[in-house]
Amino acid sequence: MNDPNELPRPRGRPKADTVSINLRLPRPMIEEIDSIRLDQKDLPTRPEMIRRALAQWLEMTGRPRS
C-alpha cells in the first residue's frame, strides 16, 4: 500500500527555534500552576501554562515577547 515514489517523512518533532530547559519548582508552586491551568477553557499543559505566565510577565515588565 506504500507508494514507492513517496518520500519518507522525517521522524520526530518538527524543528523549531526553541531551547529545552529543565526546571525544578517547589511542590506548592506546581500546585498553584495546576490550579490556575485547570481554570483555563483549553486546559493547557504545565509547560504551556508556564510559557503563558512568562509571556505575561514579559509584557508586564515591558520586555519584548517573541
Side-chain angles (χ1 to χ4, degrees):
M1 307 273 168
N2 289 339
D3 182 354
N5 297 322
E6 186 176 322
L7 295 174
R9 293 189 341 207
R11 300 183 120 203
R13 182 175 294 187
K15 294 188 186 238
D17 187 22
T18 62
V19 176
S20 177
I21 63 169
N22 181 14
L23 178 66
R24 291 187 180 269
L25 298 173
R27 190 171 307 277
M29 187 178 288
I30 291 173
E31 290 168 356
E32 284 299 319
I33 290 168
D34 284 343
S35 174
I36 293 167
R37 74 184 190 88
L38 290 172
D39 289 338
Q40 305 296 307
K41 289 183 179 182
D42 60 345
L43 186 59
T45 62
R46 279 183 185 159
E48 176 59 22
M49 194 69 240
I50 292 168
R51 280 190 287 273
R52 290 179 187 183
L54 286 172
Q56 184 178 15
W57 175 76
L58 288 171
E59 284 181 21
M60 288 172 43
T61 59
R63 290 176 170 75
R65 178 180 171 194
S66 55

